[in-house]
Amino acid sequence: MLFPEYRPRRLRRTDNLRALVRETHLRVEDLIYPLFVCEGEKIRQEIKSMPGIYRFSIDTLLEEVKQAFELGLKAVLLFGIPSKKDETGSSAYAKDGIIQRAVRRIKERFPELVVITDVCLCEYTSHGHCGIVKDGEVDNDLTLEQLARIAVSHAKAGADIVAPSDMMDGRVARIREALDEADFTQVAIMSYAVKYCSAFYGPFREAADSAPKFGDRRSYQMDPANSREALREAYLDIEEGADIIMVKPALSYLDVVKMLREEFNHPLAVYQVSGEYAMIKAASQMGWLEEERILWETLISIKRAGADLIITYFAKKVAELLLKGVK
Ligand code: PBG
């Protein structure tokens, strides 16, 4: 049936008609809230390139987590900013490391909250790379041992899910093996299976003080030009034991999200990264874009492409909008 008999506008006429035929929905359960935690007390330091996002010390972090929890958010993703860095990133697996203490404190107060921890070395190494540097290059296999130690230390502290973001080959298998050996068979792995080498991480590196001091991350993160390679990466991580796979960043890579959705049955997470947050914030602060509408549109697009979960710095804001019934 064609025009004039068929008229698609009939179902767009009112709010309730539109709601009736809406295909994609965003729920508070879909969201993961990333948080930066640093040493010290009473710290709530705004990140310049990410207005509204802060580095928290553990005491203020707990207040923030309480607010998030009360808004209905179910999961947080923690990034640690240690006070000491060294060549091998040893503070990343210290029993009293910043993340280990933060996880214990959060779990004491909010046992039901899903606590996910970033497993990587870049915030902890003096050179800022995501692995151990040997002869000027990031050494894959040496790094695996560090990652396994970090993951086990997070599990000991009470993390529900560990999220390796380093992009070393074989790390999911190595981490799974280490967790199982240490009797943490119940701890899940959310792997950054498809992580592109992206300029959209710029503001994060300010937030986490994790920019590489020499070179860049092109020898381990993926080339933005590749999508078939994304399938291979995801396939490997699933074979190695990933419970959730992730694509990162979000908006420039929705074709990849869609491809993975069609190819795999595992839960799929997508990370709306710091640069994506910064762009929306900057344009709306200039009065050039409407923040809430842009935010909604980007998140619904990410879900439409096939994401089950979205990691976003806007998580609290979205939870508030959902409570108000904004759609
Ligand atoms: C650490 C890591 C990065 C991000 C998450 N984990 C930065 C990087 O790879 O340099 C970026 C997140 C964001 O930009 O919001 N490896």
Side-chain angles (χ1 to χ4, degrees):
M1 216 203 311
L2 294 173
F3 180 83
E5 290 78 20
Y6 185 63
R7 291 173 181 266
R9 284 185 55 192
R10 280 181 200 127
L11 295 179
R12 295 183 202 138
R13 203 164 46 81
T14 69
D15 264 352
N16 283 344
L17 278 168
R18 289 189 291 272
L20 205 61
V21 295
R22 186 158 296 127
E23 299 174 29
T24 312
H25 301 273
L26 193 61
R27 308 172 312 154
V28 74
E29 288 84 356
D30 302 331
L31 304 172
I32 299 173
Y33 184 27
L35 289 161
F36 300 101
V37 53
C38 63
E39 296 286 356
E41 263 176 68
K42 299 201 173 69
I43 294 172
R44 197 170 185 277
Q45 180 191 3
E46 191 164 30
I47 295 144
K48 274 201 217 76
S49 50
M50 299 178 76
I53 299 297
Y54 303 84
R55 290 178 174 195
F56 297 102
S57 48
I58 292 177
D59 50 341
T60 55
L61 178 78
L62 288 170
E63 292 163 22
E64 182 72 7
V65 169
K66 180 168 183 278
Q67 277 182 25
F69 191 69
E70 285 171 357
L71 284 167
L73 292 165
K74 312 285 183 236
V76 294
L77 169 60
L78 300 181
F79 293 96
I81 304 152
S83 50
K84 283 198 210 89
K85 301 182 189 245
D86 61 23
E87 279 284 305
T88 58
S90 58
S91 59
Y93 51 86
K95 188 160 180 273
D96 276 331
I98 183 68
I99 285 292
Q100 291 78 359
R101 277 181 289 134
V103 172
R104 283 196 293 267
R105 295 283 297 282
I106 292 175
K107 276 292 180 183
E108 268 164 32
R109 267 189 70 189
F110 309 97
E112 317 92 285
L113 185 73
V114 176
V115 175
I116 311 173
T117 54
D118 183 66
V119 172
C120 195
L121 284 166
C122 61
E123 299 104 298
Y124 302 88
T125 50
S126 40
H127 45 72
H129 276 289
C130 303
I132 304 285
V133 174
K134 201 177 150 194
D135 305 327
E137 288 195 27
V138 175
D139 186 288
N140 194 85
D141 299 12
L142 286 177
T143 303
L144 296 187
E145 297 314 304
Q146 294 293 79
L147 296 171
R149 279 189 197 117
I150 300 171
V152 170
S153 76
H154 291 179
K156 276 189 186 147
D160 299 287
I161 304 180
V162 292
S165 67
D166 52 283
M167 288 303 276
M168 297 302 121
D169 294 330
R171 90 264 208 221
V172 175
R174 184 67 194 92
I175 288 171
R176 184 72 269 161
E177 178 189 47
L179 288 173
D180 291 353
E181 264 171 21
D183 262 343
F184 292 112
T185 53
Q186 79 287 4
V187 172
I189 300 175
M190 173 166 79
S191 80
Y192 290 64
V194 181
K195 177 173 177 180
Y196 285 96
C197 188
S198 172
F200 285 107
Y201 308 149
F204 175 97
R205 292 180 189 170
E206 180 205 328
D209 186 23
S210 65
K213 300 280 182 299
F214 67 90
D216 53 42
R217 303 208 201 289
R218 281 179 230 228
S219 77
Y220 41 104
Q221 298 181 345
M222 279 181 55
D223 182 342
N226 294 356
S227 62
R228 295 192 301 269
E229 186 186 359
L231 283 178
R232 295 200 293 279
E233 280 283 3
Y235 175 80
L236 287 171
D237 281 14
I238 288 171
E239 283 293 297
E240 289 180 26
D243 299 283
I244 302 173
I245 54 172
M246 190 202 299
V247 174
K248 171 184 175 190
L251 222 49
S252 291
Y253 300 89
L254 294 186
D255 56 328
V256 177
V257 174
K258 177 142 192 170
M259 218 168 57
L260 294 204
R261 170 75 301 148
E262 285 168 1
E263 195 70 21
F264 302 106
N265 292 320
H266 277 55
L268 180 58
V270 176
Y271 200 146
Q272 181 180 53
V273 300
S274 57
E276 300 182 78
Y277 177 87
M279 288 198 306
I280 295 175
K281 276 287 177 189
S284 48
Q285 285 186 349
M286 293 296 287
W288 292 346
L289 291 175
E290 287 176 61
E291 178 172 325
E292 286 181 11
R293 292 190 55 206
I294 289 285
L295 169 58
W296 202 262
E297 194 171 325
T298 57
L299 296 178
I300 215 72
S301 314
I302 295 168
K303 284 220 73 184
R304 196 191 61 235
D308 298 304
L309 304 169
I310 304 178
I311 303 161
T312 174
Y313 299 97
F314 285 112
K316 266 174 61 185
K317 173 100 187 185
V318 179
E320 276 165 18
L321 292 175
L322 284 167
L323 283 175
K324 277 197 252 157
V326 181
K327 284 259 153 52

